[in-house]
Amino acid sequence: MTLLTFRFAPSPNGELHLGHAYSALLNQRMGARAGGRLLLRIEDIDTARCTPEFEAGIFRDLEWLGLDWERPVRRQSEHFAEYRAVLDRLIADELVYPAFMSRGEIRAFIAETGGRDWPRDPDGVPLYPPLDKALPAKERKRRIAENMPFAWRLDVAAAMAGATGALSFAEFTDEMMSATRTVEAMPRAWGDVIVARRDIPTSYHLAVVVDDALQGVSHVVRGHDLYPATGVQRLLQELLGLPAPRYFHHRLILGPDGRKLSKSFKDTGLAALRDAGVSPQDVKRLVGL
Ligand code: GLU
């Protein structure tokens, strides 16, 4: 029997807070119960915002919490060539296209076309207008040759037409993994989502599905804020012929204002709590574990 594999995959673009502690500890607990493996993956494709200092902080905080994970740790920024190879397949299959509109141009276009009812993605961002998808190949080439900035976007309509497998996923009903329910994946909610940038040949979605498959991740345990992202990720898995892990999207730890914690909330940062004399046991209690 193959071992179940869990992973905690933080981005070193800020300090870990109680929400991360909950996610990491829950992965540890579920992994241990299942007699499985626990991996730590550093998701640092955003080379402008991720720093070695934040990464060092992640290791420090997780060790302090008593987490143990397999080595070596996969650091996404060291694998751009692998993501590039996958992106090239999507380009060759005409499932992505270069999208040139800046945020300002998108806003202006939407305002001109009647504005208010323009659909938004689950993060509240307006869906990408359909203009660039229709650009003739010659015009695309010209713009790229002129060094116009662009991102690779998924042609979600073509992708949906090309995906033959079932676009659903298995979601555990609770952290004991006592049952799963089948959830319909809804990638269209994101419109033509960004799959890669010109200078960084991947996006969060692409790197996650490539790595989860490559690392044999069988169980994705992460915050409920990523639940809608699972739709796009399932679609990419189908297009690339990758296996679908099972998912558990856990409750979020909320701040005193009842809102999701962010990396700028200094008072719930793990390093600050540690400095204030809070123990790992206290952290477990604080997050309800
Ligand atoms: N790197 C992502 C984050 O920091 C999490 C990715 C995932 O668990 O799928 O929120």
Side-chain angles (χ1 to χ4, degrees):
M1 211 187 93
T2 45
L3 277 182
L4 305 190
T5 302
F6 293 73
R7 85 322 190 253
F8 177 58
S11 297
N13 57 8
E15 287 175 14
L16 296 192
H17 55 57
L18 283 176
H20 299 103
Y22 178 59
S23 203
L25 290 166
L26 190 60
N27 268 286
Q28 181 194 43
R29 177 191 275 198
M30 292 172 71
R33 263 192 206 133
R37 309 162 60 202
L38 179 61
L39 310 179
L40 171 66
R41 184 166 73 223
I42 298 295
E43 302 214 320
D44 59 348
I45 59 167
D46 184 350
T47 46
R49 291 173 61 219
C50 294
T51 69
E53 290 75 24
F54 285 135
E55 185 188 297
I58 290 175
F59 290 122
R60 225 173 11 244
D61 292 346
L62 296 180
E63 271 164 18
W64 174 68
L65 282 178
L67 227 78
D68 198 14
W69 56 88
E70 287 185 20
R71 272 85 174 166
V73 166
R74 186 171 170 91
R75 193 182 282 122
Q76 290 186 326
S77 60
E78 292 170 352
H79 298 277
F80 283 162
E82 288 161 55
Y83 306 130
R84 176 79 228 181
V86 176
L87 173 64
D88 284 342
R89 275 170 59 196
L90 294 173
I91 296 172
D93 290 345
E94 297 183 4
L95 293 170
V96 291
Y97 62 88
F100 299 95
M101 289 171 87
S102 66
R103 269 190 217 161
E105 285 167 338
I106 297 172
R107 223 177 296 125
F109 175 84
I110 293 172
E112 271 165 35
T113 33
R116 280 177 183 259
D117 298 328
W118 192 266
R120 289 171 182 267
D121 73 19
D123 287 341
V125 178
L127 300 194
Y128 194 72
L131 301 184
D132 289 347
K133 201 168 95 169
L135 280 182
K138 223 175 132 187
E139 176 62 13
R140 281 183 188 161
K141 280 208 186 102
R142 187 190 66 78
R143 292 187 185 190
I144 292 174
E146 279 182 8
N147 254 334
M148 264 179 87
F150 69 90
W152 290 102
R153 285 187 179 264
L154 184 69
D155 180 341
V156 75
M160 293 292 279
T164 45
L167 271 184
S168 59
F169 58 94
E171 174 83 17
F172 289 107
T173 51
D174 57 63
E175 64 172 78
M176 300 301 289
M177 301 194 284
S178 35
T180 57
R181 60 195 173 90
T182 304
V183 179
E184 188 192 344
M186 294 201 275
R188 282 187 199 275
W190 296 91
D192 288 352
V193 74
I194 291 180
V195 168
R197 312 250 168 204
R198 187 176 52 170
D199 31 353
I200 298 182
T202 184
S203 63
Y204 157 61
H205 295 300
L206 190 65
V208 160
V209 299
V210 168
D211 285 358
D212 281 343
L214 195 86
Q215 297 188 287
V217 171
S218 58
H219 289 59
V220 171
V221 174
R222 60 184 179 189
H224 207 267
D225 50 338
L226 291 172
Y227 186 78
T230 314
V232 180
Q233 295 174 14
R234 281 292 300 115
L235 177 56
L236 288 172
Q237 285 158 355
E238 284 303 316
L239 295 175
L240 297 168
L242 304 175
R246 289 164 172 236
Y247 292 87
F248 180 57
H249 292 93
H250 60 69
R251 66 183 163 85
L252 298 180
I253 304 293
L254 303 178
D257 56 356
R259 295 170 60 144
K260 195 181 124 183
L261 296 180
S262 82
K263 285 182 172 160
S264 52
F265 268 129
K266 281 270 176 274
D267 47 346
T268 57
L270 297 184
L273 292 172
R274 184 168 61 238
D275 291 347
V278 169
S279 73
Q281 278 313 320
D282 296 332
V283 169
K284 283 187 191 158
R285 240 189 339 267
L286 280 169
V287 298
L289 276 174

